[in-house]
Amino acid sequence: MISYIKGKVVESGPGYVVLETGGIGYHIEVPATVPISEQRQGYDMRLFVCLMIRDESIVLYGFPSREEEKLFRELISVSGVGPKAAMNILSAMDVESFKVAISREDTPALTRISGIGAKTAKRLILELKERLSRIGAKAGGSGETGEGQATRLEIENEAIQALVSLGYQYSEARGAVISAISENNLPADTGELVKLALRALSRH
């Protein structure tokens, strides 16, 4: 079983990268949490992977962190949630934000994700609320209250939507927001986060 793949990016496109290692190029489907800046050719990347056989083909799904890979496996174990829906979830929310949404039974936050309807959102809450410990500490374990986590999610989403309204693709916007947060921690308000994300976009 493959745990992770580490190699150089030789090709990338919407929702995928090709990593070359040992003379083999692996086509790996990835969520929007992989920053655009890390998808450029020659970049060294490590992705935790889940291998699936689908329609007589072998598909690799890759994630920047072990937590995301574990969450992906949890998601596809839920009845009615396939790999495409799971990738949509991981592209729209980071792991902590998703855990907060599940713990708070925040159906509206889940149904804003492409391909997730009310029935699927309720099923996710029902089946995953007691299983979050499998993918790390439960929501709030980092010391933030549920309200603090919710505020973080709101700021992130508002910043992404602001960038989309400026003409950026969703994947670009989310990647820039994630980069801005990782470099500066979470700014106090949406406006500041948008400025930092635009600065990150201008560098690429």
Side-chain angles (χ1 to χ4, degrees):
M1 180 177 177
I2 302 173
S3 177
Y4 67 86
I5 295 175
K6 184 177 180 180
K8 290 188 178 296
V9 176
V10 295
E11 183 183 339
S12 65
Y16 81 92
V17 297
V18 176
L19 295 187
E20 181 178 0
T21 180
I24 300 174
Y26 295 92
H27 180 106
I28 306 172
E29 297 194 15
V30 297
T33 49
V34 179
I36 298 297
S37 62
E38 295 183 7
Q39 297 181 32
R40 62 182 183 273
Q41 290 189 13
Y43 192 93
D44 288 315
M45 180 183 289
R46 181 177 70 169
L47 293 172
F48 296 94
V49 297
C50 176
L51 185 151
M52 297 185 67
I53 298 176
R54 185 179 66 185
D55 299 329
E56 299 182 355
S57 63
I58 297 175
V59 183
L60 282 168
Y61 297 92
F63 309 93
S65 70
R66 178 68 74 188
E67 290 73 22
E68 287 172 281
E69 180 255 335
K70 289 181 178 179
L71 177 55
F72 176 79
R73 293 179 185 274
E74 292 287 351
L75 289 169
I76 60 176
S77 74
V78 175
S79 176
V81 178
K84 182 177 180 180
M87 293 296 275
N88 286 345
I89 291 170
L90 285 163
S91 293
M93 287 185 169
D94 60 31
V95 174
E96 289 303 317
S97 297
F98 177 78
K99 289 193 291 183
V100 169
I102 292 295
S103 67
R104 293 166 62 92
E105 300 187 12
D106 191 349
T107 301
L110 297 172
T111 54
R112 285 196 291 268
I113 301 170
S114 175
I116 305 299
K119 289 184 179 179
T120 301
K122 290 177 181 178
R123 193 178 300 122
L124 285 165
I125 292 168
L126 178 65
E127 297 192 29
L128 293 182
K129 191 170 183 180
E130 299 303 321
R131 291 156 54 185
L132 292 179
S133 59
R134 296 187 184 182
I135 53 174
K138 291 186 180 290
S142 63
E144 284 190 73
T145 65
E147 183 178 354
Q149 290 279 8
T151 300
R152 168 178 172 163
L153 175 59
E154 289 169 2
I155 292 174
E156 288 181 16
N157 287 338
E158 288 172 1
I160 291 170
Q161 292 305 316
L163 292 172
V164 169
S165 70
L166 292 174
Y168 291 98
Q169 295 295 318
Y170 181 87
S171 59
E172 286 183 292
R174 178 157 178 81
V177 168
I178 291 172
S179 294
I181 291 173
S182 66
E183 293 173 5
N184 304 278
N185 295 319
L186 184 67
D189 57 57
T190 302
E192 183 64 22
L193 180 54
V194 171
K195 290 179 183 178
L196 293 170
L198 285 170
R199 191 178 303 164
L201 285 164
S202 70
R203 295 199 297 264
H204 308 295

